[in-house]
Amino acid sequence: MNEVCVRVAVRVRPLLPREVLHNHQVCVRVVPDTSHVMIGKDKTFPFDHVFGCESSHDELYEACVHPLVESLIDGYNATVFAYGQTGSGKTYTLGGGLVGKGDGQMEHTVRVSYMELYQEELRDLLELHTNHKELHIREDDRGNTGQEGHSGSLYKSSHSGVLVG
Ligand SMILES: Nc1ncnc2c1ncn2[C@@H]1O[C@H](COP(=O)(O)OP(=O)(O)OP(=O)(O)O)[C@@H](O)[C@H]1O
């Protein structure tokens, strides 16, 4: 397990076709051979990982998620959290880079929740018909945070990949 508890990665997405159409300009770039991004012409910011427009889901998974999966198997807790303004690529990255990946080396069964918290309302992204009023985040008397009104979906991994059960 890495000694740093929180690591921050930035993924820069390419301009969308409609942004190109409206002549929007790229204003965030990866500084070559560094883990810095440049905003505008001269403001640079360091991160643990940076991924440019051409980056693949696999690169992201290998650098950011795979080490966490290994720690998880060793009994540590791990969280991958996507943060960014609307349209910045959170769903694209989590959906393609995290859910559905398996390295085929291990066989395991895990319970997975895929929740969206938007304007103080919870949505179960694996069971879209669930009423948000049935879902709650609660803290118990020992300070553990958990969900109520959601059982989690079962994912089974086998050598052929990850299956939704
Ligand atoms: N790295 C990328 N490469 C190519 N297209 C991308 C990339 N990241 C995001 N996109 C595209 O950008 C659009 C917005 O991405 P996405 O829906 O993932 O954003 P979001 O952050 O989840 O937005 P919201 O908060 O509104 O749900 C989508 O059309 C998606 O396909």
Side-chain angles (χ1 to χ4, degrees), residues 117 122 135-139 145-148:
L117 178 59
L122 268 181
L135 302 171
H136 305 282
I137 293 181
R138 303 260 191 246
E139 195 173 290
T145 305
Q147 293 155 226
E148 221 176 61

PDB file of all heavy atoms in Angstrom, residues 117 122 135-139 145-148:
ATOM      1  N   LEU A 117     -24.751  11.310  -6.429  1.00  0.00           N
ATOM      2  CA  LEU A 117     -25.303  12.300  -5.499  1.00  0.00           C
ATOM      3  C   LEU A 117     -25.355  13.615  -6.257  1.00  0.00           C
ATOM      4  O   LEU A 117     -24.328  14.171  -6.637  1.00  0.00           O
ATOM      5  CB  LEU A 117     -24.403  12.418  -4.265  1.00  0.00           C
ATOM      6  CG  LEU A 117     -24.802  13.446  -3.215  1.00  0.00           C
ATOM      7  CD1 LEU A 117     -26.197  13.172  -2.682  1.00  0.00           C
ATOM      8  CD2 LEU A 117     -23.798  13.430  -2.058  1.00  0.00           C
ATOM      9  N   LEU A 122     -29.931  11.266  -3.994  1.00  0.00           N
ATOM     10  CA  LEU A 122     -29.155  10.076  -4.344  1.00  0.00           C
ATOM     11  C   LEU A 122     -29.848   9.320  -5.466  1.00  0.00           C
ATOM     12  O   LEU A 122     -31.066   9.193  -5.464  1.00  0.00           O
ATOM     13  CB  LEU A 122     -29.083   9.141  -3.139  1.00  0.00           C
ATOM     14  CG  LEU A 122     -27.913   9.273  -2.176  1.00  0.00           C
ATOM     15  CD1 LEU A 122     -28.048   8.222  -1.096  1.00  0.00           C
ATOM     16  CD2 LEU A 122     -26.592   9.124  -2.890  1.00  0.00           C
ATOM     17  N   LEU A 135     -33.618   6.097  -0.906  1.00  0.00           N
ATOM     18  CA  LEU A 135     -32.178   5.945  -0.690  1.00  0.00           C
ATOM     19  C   LEU A 135     -31.657   7.003   0.281  1.00  0.00           C
ATOM     20  O   LEU A 135     -31.982   8.179   0.154  1.00  0.00           O
ATOM     21  CB  LEU A 135     -31.425   6.089  -2.017  1.00  0.00           C
ATOM     22  CG  LEU A 135     -31.815   5.117  -3.124  1.00  0.00           C
ATOM     23  CD1 LEU A 135     -31.145   5.520  -4.424  1.00  0.00           C
ATOM     24  CD2 LEU A 135     -31.404   3.702  -2.745  1.00  0.00           C
ATOM     25  N   HIS A 136     -30.855   6.567   1.235  1.00  0.00           N
ATOM     26  CA  HIS A 136     -30.319   7.508   2.212  1.00  0.00           C
ATOM     27  C   HIS A 136     -28.878   7.150   2.540  1.00  0.00           C
ATOM     28  O   HIS A 136     -28.517   5.973   2.537  1.00  0.00           O
ATOM     29  CB  HIS A 136     -31.133   7.458   3.514  1.00  0.00           C
ATOM     30  CG  HIS A 136     -32.590   7.694   3.311  1.00  0.00           C
ATOM     31  ND1 HIS A 136     -33.123   8.947   3.120  1.00  0.00           N
ATOM     32  CD2 HIS A 136     -33.622   6.826   3.223  1.00  0.00           C
ATOM     33  CE1 HIS A 136     -34.426   8.843   2.941  1.00  0.00           C
ATOM     34  NE2 HIS A 136     -34.759   7.568   2.988  1.00  0.00           N
ATOM     35  N   ILE A 137     -28.081   8.167   2.850  1.00  0.00           N
ATOM     36  CA  ILE A 137     -26.752   7.922   3.412  1.00  0.00           C
ATOM     37  C   ILE A 137     -26.840   8.220   4.898  1.00  0.00           C
ATOM     38  O   ILE A 137     -27.300   9.305   5.279  1.00  0.00           O
ATOM     39  CB  ILE A 137     -25.680   8.812   2.750  1.00  0.00           C
ATOM     40  CG1 ILE A 137     -25.499   8.418   1.293  1.00  0.00           C
ATOM     41  CG2 ILE A 137     -24.359   8.686   3.487  1.00  0.00           C
ATOM     42  CD1 ILE A 137     -24.449   9.229   0.554  1.00  0.00           C
ATOM     43  N   ARG A 138     -26.448   7.265   5.721  1.00  0.00           N
ATOM     44  CA  ARG A 138     -26.557   7.419   7.175  1.00  0.00           C
ATOM     45  C   ARG A 138     -25.202   7.159   7.830  1.00  0.00           C
ATOM     46  O   ARG A 138     -24.382   6.423   7.299  1.00  0.00           O
ATOM     47  CB  ARG A 138     -27.550   6.412   7.745  1.00  0.00           C
ATOM     48  CG  ARG A 138     -28.925   6.495   7.142  1.00  0.00           C
ATOM     49  CD  ARG A 138     -29.853   7.267   8.043  1.00  0.00           C
ATOM     50  NE  ARG A 138     -31.224   7.143   7.614  1.00  0.00           N
ATOM     51  CZ  ARG A 138     -31.946   8.161   7.153  1.00  0.00           C
ATOM     52  NH1 ARG A 138     -31.426   9.358   7.054  1.00  0.00           N
ATOM     53  NH2 ARG A 138     -33.203   7.975   6.789  1.00  0.00           N
ATOM     54  N   GLU A 139     -25.047   7.728   9.002  1.00  0.00           N
ATOM     55  CA  GLU A 139     -23.849   7.452   9.802  1.00  0.00           C
ATOM     56  C   GLU A 139     -24.301   6.692  11.042  1.00  0.00           C
ATOM     57  O   GLU A 139     -25.282   7.096  11.689  1.00  0.00           O
ATOM     58  CB  GLU A 139     -23.188   8.773  10.194  1.00  0.00           C
ATOM     59  CG  GLU A 139     -21.777   8.587  10.697  1.00  0.00           C
ATOM     60  CD  GLU A 139     -21.083   9.926  10.908  1.00  0.00           C
ATOM     61  OE1 GLU A 139     -20.778  10.597   9.901  1.00  0.00           O
ATOM     62  OE2 GLU A 139     -20.889  10.293  12.064  1.00  0.00           O
ATOM     63  N   THR A 145     -20.101   5.287   7.756  1.00  0.00           N
ATOM     64  CA  THR A 145     -21.093   5.810   6.814  1.00  0.00           C
ATOM     65  C   THR A 145     -21.575   4.680   5.914  1.00  0.00           C
ATOM     66  O   THR A 145     -20.771   3.900   5.410  1.00  0.00           O
ATOM     67  CB  THR A 145     -20.447   6.927   5.962  1.00  0.00           C
ATOM     68  OG1 THR A 145     -19.912   7.897   6.847  1.00  0.00           O
ATOM     69  CG2 THR A 145     -21.475   7.584   5.055  1.00  0.00           C
ATOM     70  N   GLY A 146     -22.881   4.580   5.747  1.00  0.00           N
ATOM     71  CA  GLY A 146     -23.422   3.520   4.906  1.00  0.00           C
ATOM     72  C   GLY A 146     -24.693   3.949   4.224  1.00  0.00           C
ATOM     73  O   GLY A 146     -25.258   5.000   4.524  1.00  0.00           O
ATOM     74  N   GLN A 147     -25.138   3.105   3.277  1.00  0.00           N
ATOM     75  CA  GLN A 147     -26.356   3.407   2.537  1.00  0.00           C
ATOM     76  C   GLN A 147     -27.528   2.639   3.118  1.00  0.00           C
ATOM     77  O   GLN A 147     -27.364   1.544   3.625  1.00  0.00           O
ATOM     78  CB  GLN A 147     -26.208   2.981   1.087  1.00  0.00           C
ATOM     79  CG  GLN A 147     -25.206   3.752   0.330  1.00  0.00           C
ATOM     80  CD  GLN A 147     -24.713   2.913  -0.817  1.00  0.00           C
ATOM     81  OE1 GLN A 147     -23.524   2.833  -1.041  1.00  0.00           O
ATOM     82  NE2 GLN A 147     -25.611   2.277  -1.522  1.00  0.00           N
ATOM     83  N   GLU A 148     -28.675   3.228   2.971  1.00  0.00           N
ATOM     84  CA  GLU A 148     -29.906   2.579   3.399  1.00  0.00           C
ATOM     85  C   GLU A 148     -30.824   2.542   2.191  1.00  0.00           C
ATOM     86  O   GLU A 148     -30.845   3.482   1.402  1.00  0.00           O
ATOM     87  CB  GLU A 148     -30.553   3.433   4.486  1.00  0.00           C
ATOM     88  CG  GLU A 148     -31.127   2.652   5.634  1.00  0.00           C
ATOM     89  CD  GLU A 148     -31.659   3.598   6.683  1.00  0.00           C
ATOM     90  OE1 GLU A 148     -32.572   4.370   6.367  1.00  0.00           O
ATOM     91  OE2 GLU A 148     -31.128   3.573   7.806  1.00  0.00           O
TER      92      GLU A 148
END
